[in-house]
Amino acid sequence: MPAVRRLKVAVSGLGRMGARHAAHFLHRTPKAELVAAFTPDPKEVAWAKENLEPWGVKIYTDFDAMLEHQGLEAVCVATVTTVHAEHTTKAIKAGKHVLCEKPLSTKIEDCQQVLETARQNPHIKVMCGFSRRFDASYLNAYNLTKSGSIGRPTILRSQTCDKYDPSGFFVNYAQFSGGIFVDCNIHDIDLALWFFSAGTQVVPRVKSVVAFGVTAVEPDLAKHGDVDNGVGVVEFYDGQIAYFYSSRMNPPGQHDMTEIIGTTGKLSVNANPTTGLLESHLATGIHRDIPQNYYERFENAFVEEARQFTDAVLEGKTVPIDLESSMEAVRIGVALQESLRSGKKIWFGREGNQVEETGTKARL
Amino acid sequence: MPAVRRLKVAVSGLGRMGARHAAHFLHRTPKAELVAAFTPDPKEVAWAKENLEPWGVKIYTDFDAMLEHQGLEAVCVATVTTVHAEHTTKAIKAGKHVLCEKPLSTKIEDCQQVLETARQNPHIKVMCGFSRRFDASYLNAYNLTKSGSIGRPTILRSQTCDKYDPSGFFVNYAQFSGGIFVDCNIHDIDLALWFFSAGTQVVPRVKSVVAFGVTAVEPDLAKHGDVDNGVGVVEFYDGQIAYFYSSRMNPPGQHDMTEIIGTTGKLSVNANPTTGLLESHLATGIHRDIPQNYYERFENAFVEEARQFTDAVLEGKTVPIDLESSMEAVRIGVALQESLRSGKKIWFGREGNQVEETGTKARL
Amino acid sequence: MPAVRRLKVAVSGLGRMGARHAAHFLHRTPKAELVAAFTPDPKEVAWAKENLEPWGVKIYTDFDAMLEHQGLEAVCVATVTTVHAEHTTKAIKAGKHVLCEKPLSTKIEDCQQVLETARQNPHIKVMCGFSRRFDASYLNAYNLTKSGSIGRPTILRSQTCDKYDPSGFFVNYAQFSGGIFVDCNIHDIDLALWFFSAGTQVVPRVKSVVAFGVTAVEPDLAKHGDVDNGVGVVEFYDGQIAYFYSSRMNPPGQHDMTEIIGTTGKLSVNANPTTGLLESHLATGIHRDIPQNYYERFENAFVEEARQFTDAVLEGKTVPIDLESSMEAVRIGVALQESLRSGKKIWFGREGNQVEETGTKARL
Amino acid sequence: MPAVRRLKVAVSGLGRMGARHAAHFLHRTPKAELVAAFTPDPKEVAWAKENLEPWGVKIYTDFDAMLEHQGLEAVCVATVTTVHAEHTTKAIKAGKHVLCEKPLSTKIEDCQQVLETARQNPHIKVMCGFSRRFDASYLNAYNLTKSGSIGRPTILRSQTCDKYDPSGFFVNYAQFSGGIFVDCNIHDIDLALWFFSAGTQVVPRVKSVVAFGVTAVEPDLAKHGDVDNGVGVVEFYDGQIAYFYSSRMNPPGQHDMTEIIGTTGKLSVNANPTTGLLESHLATGIHRDIPQNYYERFENAFVEEARQFTDAVLEGKTVPIDLESSMEAVRIGVALQESLRSGKKIWFGREGNQVEETGTKARL
């Protein structure tokens, strides 16, 4: 019998990412033990019967029942975005630590409620899973930034570009996703908050945002106030600027990249995308492949995320991602989406509230 | 005696770029013959006595006198930006073809006057020297775009990043340069106009612009309403977006890059910068150098520019860069600089005039 | 209680690689269960008490005793090279499936005995762990080769370059390792046998070998007939050539790379080495890191090797690496080392026996 | 009238490379003046009438007559390889400086005669045009090597890989070319001699050579004792090894690359081949092109070669490539080709003479 103390974890939601989270906790997080999983979906239940139950995982079709699973200590919330906040809140109240898929919610009010609940339960660890923070290359970049290798981080450019999905899945999904800036660029926004606070550990405060977009391949997105190509700029108080691009039509696959530009150096993550170390030299030139989706790109980061969350809970450490920062990411994403729709630049006061632009607020 | 017909060219201004243009016409443009050069600067005159005169080039300290040089057919205007328009206008009126360094002017009115003069002298070839259009990689990208390889060009990202110049030369120069968007990003703006019209040959019309910036390393730039890091977005009518970045503090050297993103493909120019084909594998990792300045990066493009201009004149062909487009680039650069200063998003009507933003002008 | 059938595995040897194999079977091979481990070394025992025992792994200091562990089904042999063959043979005879670290032995006679034992126990799976065959990039290259994407594979270039180890560990180790061609290039030799048989599934037969080497940084290697930089060429019957390079002094880290050159295409694995996706743009140029040792480079391949071995045993499939081919790799490595020492080119007959070079054996 | 002193040059041979050399001296070597050209070939004469004569170049169909051209100072010999030595010798005797295309000859005796003639005319500059020495990336690598950046250069790997020419031109040409090691790898051999002498300025002495080859795509090459893929190793006295690869079937184009491996660093030239800075991101992956032939790769190097030769003559400096080293390259190339044919390893004594291998000559 192992004498090792392992964290008893349940996964809520067994869709695309939920199934992966379940596999990570089951097979790739030695100090965690997947004990339960919840899904209301018959197809997902069938999958779980075949793939989880034989490993001793109990399957639930009722979330509340799952929360009462004997000995359960933590929940990974990986349901559809619209119930992230509700499940997280319930789990916290039930005394379970929570790893919640990003974003906390597409609505800032829901985020605030999660934070309030978390504040009332300070012994409970709650973390929003911004997976890129656990990618080895981003982590190297962060440590270099923190150690001062590039001077003061000043400009951040980041993009999230998906391979075009001809099924048009994302068109219908646009009504729930919060829009391209909340669904895709939320990662880039989170990176900006992370890197800009690398030296000071103070989350930077947004001053203004502006967004642009077009529907180049899926005109129906406009129905939901969304686009398939978005460009956004976020200006922070204290002289930092982040600018973002997102696309639903990147031909060769997933190309997420980031540059962190400091006063004495620049760090570039994935400027030169590739799947592995293979290049084909053929009569038509030199070719390489890139990941086909974000999971191919970030699989190891998701595993590392599960491991670090597990370690933080077991060892009583602070979780690596601050919940307030995850809410701030939603605030900025929502504002970008609003700017996209209205065509207006949106200003924030130093307290985080939206303010009116005034003619006298000269930039320089 | 050669029976080849060669174009008799003069260069006006022998500063940094003027001296290079002179060398290009003298030694690297077989069908051109550098016959004269003008500079009012004693140091430049001394340089010319040593480097140009022995090759049969006549040196002038008076621009008007140079225009009267026997047999002179064309002038390359490479003086300080503030006299580009004046010299170009004079040369046209004197019946000389003109290759003018970019930008035509930092003021849109001056550009308009040059265009008016050019219109009145339709037999005279006038071209603004946007050198990147003659770079082999950009040219390949343009031809692929034109041939439809990437579908409809929709998004363009482009940056102009200089190595930090600790002499601070560019700080004082900021009062003449028109600001970072007119001085640096003008190239990127020109590329947007070029690539977005690749299929249609119609210069796209600007709908709105917005700009942001910070003074990260040279606070004194603020005196001239300028910054050392700028981010700008330009939205065009008909669903195209260009976004730009410029920096005066890129540590390893010059990094100018562009992505042209179409509905079915993306072309990336210089995402992976390098000086040549050498990499050093040392105990500290793998290292490579990049060009130290724009001339190291674009030397061959400048030579090709001189050759194509010469060929166009000798063969009576249209010059490769449309003068109206070069004026449009200035208009957009000036608007970005204005947005940077005011903090406001600037809107244009379909006729190119600035208009007030209205609350009802929803984007989607 | 899990209903999943898991393979009960023991690891023999808990040195550098043994400890890693133990961790892979324990935490990263879901269908395997590490039940026992053997090491005679007190330090390794102490490590195992802390890191394996709490997970329910029984520690043995006697190999034969471990073989009798209740329910044990398979053994991973990761002891020093000199006992690979002995442990493998014993384990086979005890009815255990074996995954043996490369090389089977540094002596061809020992290899032959392992093969003989394996032949007598056809129900036992025996595989030599040439880890590179499980690396994703090599696997992609193999599948492309097999499918005919590069025509007939004709030339293979492959290298194994270690970062210089200033402790000089490898100097003393040279007396046991079999020499640089047996210790390092054995991987490259195995790749040649694998890729050259991709289409036909017939292991190619060696015709002649020649090797060269120098002691550039560790002259003491000469005492053991070894070098720190080796170049070898292997010619096969039927018109295929493999050439190899190995080094003990690669400054930035581990750089193992391979090119498979066919009549219509070339596949290049790791021509452009890098640790991850991060590049640093600093005042001194652009920099990137590479893996510091072979485990950083091939960690995932070792895990995949454990998984595929486990699957093959559980499902009664053929193991992915043919044992005869692993012996052939040793034969070639030993011949290269012999050529290095004698300065002579070594010839083989079609039956695999060494023959005398004759003056009349013209190449063309 | 220019007061600049320009070198009066003639080009002998106006085939593929001859025509290019003529253009380089005519248009891209400011301090040279192309005054004459020789070719016996009517087609080449026609080309010259159109392309050279209008620029004042006199066309000759008799080489000796050309040597008597009024004021002629230097000759660039670019005829077929078989007359390189003869023309060079005649030109030297006529008091003309000579830039001769590589190789000096395919026969070592002819090389010796050229050297003897050169020695008898010490005021005449004679240089064999190994163009890679003038390539910017190679030059950077050389200067780094010379300055000690990589410690002692110990191993050199170099390859010359041509795009497959389906016309089969090179098959017939094989009877004149000297074979693949003399025709292609001669460049790589020259690089080995250059880099291995970077610190000491002493040309290293060959100890042994061995070569292998196959006819993978053009079996008819065997008629001329030649192959379409060759692998050769050259061992030098004093512990340096160079190994080479050449191919006539590289699918995407020309891929010539070199690694210079020193005791503390490695320099890699063109490990990551590309034509320019463009990459295409398409649905089929990321693609880039590479040069289609050696001239696309080395055009600038040829121009620089012409300039440096011209400068050396005008300024009375030593030419950058030592003639003795160019003969040594032929000696090694010829020996490799001989080893390819006989299948034997070839040994040299310290005086450069071939010797018999002896059983007692142990390597270590």
Side-chain angles (χ1 to χ4, degrees), chain D residues 138 156-158 188 191 256-260 267-269:
Chain D
Y138 277 107
L156 185 136
R157 175 172 81 80
S158 198
D188 306 293
L191 291 173
D256 301 339
M257 76 156 293
T258 302
E259 287 179 331
I260 307 102
L267 299 171
S268 174
V269 177

Side-chain angles (χ1 to χ4, degrees), chain B residues 221-235:
Chain B
L221 283 167
K223 290 180 195 164
H224 309 301
D226 207 4
V227 292
D228 47 33
N229 281 263
V231 171
V233 187
V234 178
E235 181 186 32

Side-chain angles (χ1 to χ4, degrees), chain B residues 163 250-253 255 271-274 279 281-290 292, chain C residues 163 250-253 255 271-274 279 281-290 292:
Chain B
K163 188 178 176 72
N250 195 49
H255 187 189
N272 203 22
T274 180
E279 285 197 325
H281 295 229
L282 305 177
T284 46
I286 298 182
H287 309 271
R288 68 180 190 275
D289 291 328
I290 68 169
Q292 293 303 290
Chain C
K163 186 178 177 74
N250 195 49
H255 187 189
N272 203 20
T274 179
E279 286 196 325
H281 296 229
L282 304 177
T284 46
I286 298 182
H287 310 271
R288 68 180 189 275
D289 291 328
I290 68 169
Q292 293 303 290

Side-chain angles (χ1 to χ4, degrees), chain D residues 4 7 28 52 59 61 65 67 84-86 120 135 139 182 206 221 236 248-249 278 289 298 325 333 359 362:
Chain D
V4 175
L7 185 72
R28 300 171 79 174
L52 302 181
I59 316 302
T61 55
L67 282 185
H84 282 181
E86 180 197 337
Q120 291 163 1
D135 174 70
L139 214 49
V182 177
V206 59
L221 283 167
F236 293 93
R248 299 288 195 182
M249 66 182 203
L278 174 65
D289 291 327
F298 290 110
S325 152

